[in-house]
mmCIF file of all heavy atoms in Angstrom:
data_model
loop_
_atom_site.group_PDB
_atom_site.id
_atom_site.type_symbol
_atom_site.label_atom_id
_atom_site.label_comp_id
_atom_site.label_asym_id
_atom_site.label_seq_id
_atom_site.Cartn_x
_atom_site.Cartn_y
_atom_site.Cartn_z
ATOM 1 N N ASN A 151 -11.178 -48.628 65.916
ATOM 2 C CA ASN A 151 -11.338 -49.272 64.542
ATOM 3 C C ASN A 151 -10.161 -48.835 63.702
ATOM 4 O O ASN A 151 -9.574 -49.714 62.957
ATOM 5 C CB ASN A 151 -12.589 -48.794 63.961
ATOM 6 C CG ASN A 151 -12.939 -49.636 62.695
ATOM 7 O OD1 ASN A 151 -12.740 -50.794 62.469
ATOM 8 N ND2 ASN A 151 -13.283 -48.826 61.618
ATOM 9 N N LEU A 152 -9.802 -47.581 63.785
ATOM 10 C CA LEU A 152 -8.698 -47.135 62.891
ATOM 11 C C LEU A 152 -7.422 -47.729 63.311
ATOM 12 O O LEU A 152 -6.491 -48.030 62.582
ATOM 13 C CB LEU A 152 -8.589 -45.598 62.945
ATOM 14 C CG LEU A 152 -9.639 -44.804 62.187
ATOM 15 C CD1 LEU A 152 -9.492 -43.335 62.238
ATOM 16 C CD2 LEU A 152 -9.687 -45.159 60.709
ATOM 17 N N ALA A 153 -7.132 -47.846 64.659
ATOM 18 C CA ALA A 153 -5.976 -48.426 65.246
ATOM 19 C C ALA A 153 -5.844 -49.919 64.756
ATOM 20 O O ALA A 153 -4.838 -50.365 64.490
ATOM 21 C CB ALA A 153 -6.001 -48.450 66.771
ATOM 22 N N ARG A 154 -6.984 -50.625 64.725
ATOM 23 C CA ARG A 154 -6.953 -52.023 64.305
ATOM 24 C C ARG A 154 -6.579 -52.110 62.820
ATOM 25 O O ARG A 154 -5.720 -52.894 62.403
ATOM 26 C CB ARG A 154 -8.387 -52.563 64.504
ATOM 27 C CG ARG A 154 -8.286 -54.261 64.103
ATOM 28 C CD ARG A 154 -9.783 -54.882 64.320
ATOM 29 N NE ARG A 154 -10.237 -54.623 65.654
ATOM 30 C CZ ARG A 154 -9.868 -55.506 66.619
ATOM 31 N NH1 ARG A 154 -9.089 -56.506 66.381
ATOM 32 N NH2 ARG A 154 -10.405 -55.274 67.786
ATOM 33 N N LYS A 155 -7.145 -51.254 62.041
ATOM 34 C CA LYS A 155 -6.768 -51.240 60.617
ATOM 35 C C LYS A 155 -5.381 -50.970 60.423
ATOM 36 O O LYS A 155 -4.662 -51.460 59.500
ATOM 37 C CB LYS A 155 -7.724 -50.267 59.765
ATOM 38 C CG LYS A 155 -9.131 -50.704 59.708
ATOM 39 C CD LYS A 155 -9.921 -49.644 58.974
ATOM 40 C CE LYS A 155 -11.416 -50.088 58.727
ATOM 41 N NZ LYS A 155 -12.266 -48.977 58.018
ATOM 42 N N ALA A 156 -4.968 -49.936 61.096
ATOM 43 C CA ALA A 156 -3.405 -49.522 60.910
ATOM 44 C C ALA A 156 -2.479 -50.603 61.434
ATOM 45 O O ALA A 156 -1.524 -50.855 60.798
ATOM 46 C CB ALA A 156 -3.154 -48.243 61.861
ATOM 47 N N ARG A 157 -2.855 -51.294 62.546
ATOM 48 C CA ARG A 157 -2.053 -52.383 63.073
ATOM 49 C C ARG A 157 -1.968 -53.508 62.055
ATOM 50 O O ARG A 157 -0.827 -54.058 61.781
ATOM 51 C CB ARG A 157 -2.568 -52.884 64.350
ATOM 52 C CG ARG A 157 -1.945 -54.101 64.980
ATOM 53 C CD ARG A 157 -0.617 -53.795 65.672
ATOM 54 N NE ARG A 157 -0.822 -53.089 66.896
ATOM 55 C CZ ARG A 157 0.124 -52.390 67.561
ATOM 56 N NH1 ARG A 157 1.358 -52.354 67.120
ATOM 57 N NH2 ARG A 157 -0.103 -51.759 68.687
ATOM 58 N N GLU A 158 -3.106 -53.898 61.406
ATOM 59 C CA GLU A 158 -3.080 -55.017 60.580
ATOM 60 C C GLU A 158 -2.345 -54.695 59.144
ATOM 61 O O GLU A 158 -1.601 -55.386 58.660
ATOM 62 C CB GLU A 158 -4.573 -55.318 60.257
ATOM 63 C CG GLU A 158 -5.343 -56.040 61.414
ATOM 64 C CD GLU A 158 -6.664 -56.368 61.178
ATOM 65 O OE1 GLU A 158 -7.161 -56.038 60.116
ATOM 66 O OE2 GLU A 158 -7.257 -57.052 62.035
ATOM 67 N N PHE A 159 -2.638 -53.400 58.725
ATOM 68 C CA PHE A 159 -1.988 -52.984 57.458
ATOM 69 C C PHE A 159 -0.440 -52.987 57.627
ATOM 70 O O PHE A 159 0.288 -53.365 56.652
ATOM 71 C CB PHE A 159 -2.473 -51.683 57.088
ATOM 72 C CG PHE A 159 -1.935 -51.151 55.727
ATOM 73 C CD1 PHE A 159 -2.571 -51.616 54.530
ATOM 74 C CD2 PHE A 159 -0.786 -50.350 55.581
ATOM 75 C CE1 PHE A 159 -2.091 -51.145 53.270
ATOM 76 C CE2 PHE A 159 -0.291 -49.863 54.450
ATOM 77 C CZ PHE A 159 -0.989 -50.303 53.179
ATOM 78 N N SER A 160 0.052 -52.553 58.724
ATOM 79 C CA SER A 160 1.479 -52.453 58.942
ATOM 80 C C SER A 160 2.181 -53.770 59.465
ATOM 81 O O SER A 160 3.355 -53.818 59.701
ATOM 82 C CB SER A 160 1.791 -51.321 60.026
ATOM 83 O OG SER A 160 1.253 -51.676 61.283
ATOM 84 N N SER A 161 1.316 -54.750 59.575
ATOM 85 C CA SER A 161 1.818 -56.122 59.964
ATOM 86 C C SER A 161 1.424 -57.227 59.027
ATOM 87 O O SER A 161 0.862 -58.251 59.415
ATOM 88 C CB SER A 161 1.253 -56.409 61.302
ATOM 89 O OG SER A 161 1.632 -55.479 62.307
ATOM 90 N N LEU A 162 1.618 -56.894 57.729
ATOM 91 C CA LEU A 162 1.363 -57.968 56.694
ATOM 92 C C LEU A 162 -0.101 -58.412 56.533
ATOM 93 O O LEU A 162 -0.245 -59.406 56.005
ATOM 94 C CB LEU A 162 2.278 -59.212 56.950
ATOM 95 C CG LEU A 162 3.817 -58.862 56.825
ATOM 96 C CD1 LEU A 162 4.646 -60.034 57.413
ATOM 97 C CD2 LEU A 162 4.223 -58.691 55.402
ATOM 98 N N GLY A 163 -0.965 -57.584 57.115
ATOM 99 C CA GLY A 163 -2.303 -58.052 56.984
ATOM 100 C C GLY A 163 -2.783 -58.931 58.000
ATOM 101 O O GLY A 163 -3.972 -59.442 57.949
ATOM 102 N N TYR A 164 -1.909 -59.331 58.974
ATOM 103 C CA TYR A 164 -2.341 -60.298 59.996
ATOM 104 C C TYR A 164 -3.480 -59.684 60.834
ATOM 105 O O TYR A 164 -3.398 -58.488 61.118
ATOM 106 C CB TYR A 164 -1.177 -60.542 60.924
ATOM 107 C CG TYR A 164 -0.084 -61.495 60.448
ATOM 108 C CD1 TYR A 164 0.137 -61.663 59.078
ATOM 109 C CD2 TYR A 164 0.812 -62.139 61.255
ATOM 110 C CE1 TYR A 164 1.097 -62.529 58.607
ATOM 111 C CE2 TYR A 164 1.801 -62.965 60.843
ATOM 112 C CZ TYR A 164 1.979 -63.103 59.557
ATOM 113 O OH TYR A 164 2.970 -63.983 59.060
ATOM 114 N N SER A 165 -4.363 -60.541 61.315
ATOM 115 C CA SER A 165 -5.408 -60.148 62.185
ATOM 116 C C SER A 165 -4.833 -59.726 63.517
ATOM 117 O O SER A 165 -4.217 -60.646 64.204
ATOM 118 C CB SER A 165 -6.514 -61.266 62.354
ATOM 119 O OG SER A 165 -7.527 -60.858 63.174
ATOM 120 N N MET A 166 -4.919 -58.496 63.947
ATOM 121 C CA MET A 166 -4.224 -58.090 65.140
ATOM 122 C C MET A 166 -5.146 -57.306 66.148
ATOM 123 O O MET A 166 -6.130 -56.701 65.675
ATOM 124 C CB MET A 166 -3.090 -57.058 64.763
ATOM 125 C CG MET A 166 -2.018 -57.688 63.803
ATOM 126 S SD MET A 166 -0.880 -58.776 64.580
ATOM 127 C CE MET A 166 0.092 -57.601 65.441
ATOM 128 N N ASP A 167 -4.793 -57.293 67.328
ATOM 129 C CA ASP A 167 -5.498 -56.478 68.293
ATOM 130 C C ASP A 167 -4.958 -55.067 68.164
ATOM 131 O O ASP A 167 -3.724 -54.847 67.775
ATOM 132 C CB ASP A 167 -5.199 -56.856 69.743
ATOM 133 C CG ASP A 167 -5.983 -58.161 70.087
ATOM 134 O OD1 ASP A 167 -7.006 -58.369 69.484
ATOM 135 O OD2 ASP A 167 -5.524 -58.857 70.910
ATOM 136 N N PRO A 168 -5.736 -53.933 68.261
ATOM 137 C CA PRO A 168 -5.207 -52.659 67.919
ATOM 138 C C PRO A 168 -4.149 -52.150 68.901
ATOM 139 O O PRO A 168 -3.397 -51.225 68.529
ATOM 140 C CB PRO A 168 -6.481 -51.773 68.138
ATOM 141 C CG PRO A 168 -7.456 -52.579 68.978
ATOM 142 C CD PRO A 168 -7.169 -54.045 68.611
ATOM 143 N N ASP A 169 -4.011 -52.749 70.132
ATOM 144 C CA ASP A 169 -3.150 -52.231 71.013
ATOM 145 C C ASP A 169 -2.004 -53.273 71.438
ATOM 146 O O ASP A 169 -1.366 -53.185 72.431
ATOM 147 C CB ASP A 169 -3.740 -51.750 72.392
ATOM 148 C CG ASP A 169 -4.664 -52.877 72.995
ATOM 149 O OD1 ASP A 169 -4.722 -54.044 72.343
ATOM 150 O OD2 ASP A 169 -5.166 -52.627 74.022
ATOM 151 N N GLN A 170 -1.851 -54.275 70.506
ATOM 152 C CA GLN A 170 -0.874 -55.331 70.762
ATOM 153 C C GLN A 170 0.021 -55.499 69.525
ATOM 154 O O GLN A 170 -0.576 -55.879 68.445
ATOM 155 C CB GLN A 170 -1.504 -56.568 71.209
ATOM 156 C CG GLN A 170 -2.169 -56.607 72.501
ATOM 157 C CD GLN A 170 -1.124 -56.461 73.643
ATOM 158 O OE1 GLN A 170 0.027 -56.923 73.530
ATOM 159 N NE2 GLN A 170 -1.534 -55.782 74.656
ATOM 160 N N PRO A 171 1.348 -55.383 69.619
ATOM 161 C CA PRO A 171 2.237 -55.491 68.438
ATOM 162 C C PRO A 171 2.681 -56.932 68.137
ATOM 163 O O PRO A 171 3.416 -57.162 67.362
ATOM 164 C CB PRO A 171 3.374 -54.676 68.833
ATOM 165 C CG PRO A 171 3.500 -54.802 70.293
ATOM 166 C CD PRO A 171 2.101 -54.862 70.787
#
Side-chain angles (χ1 to χ4, degrees):
N151 185 48
L152 289 179
R154 183 183 301 279
K155 289 180 178 179
R157 175 78 70 191
E158 292 180 354
F159 184 82
S160 63
S161 300
L162 297 166
Y164 283 22
S165 180
M166 304 282 286
D167 290 332
D169 56 355
Q170 291 294 327

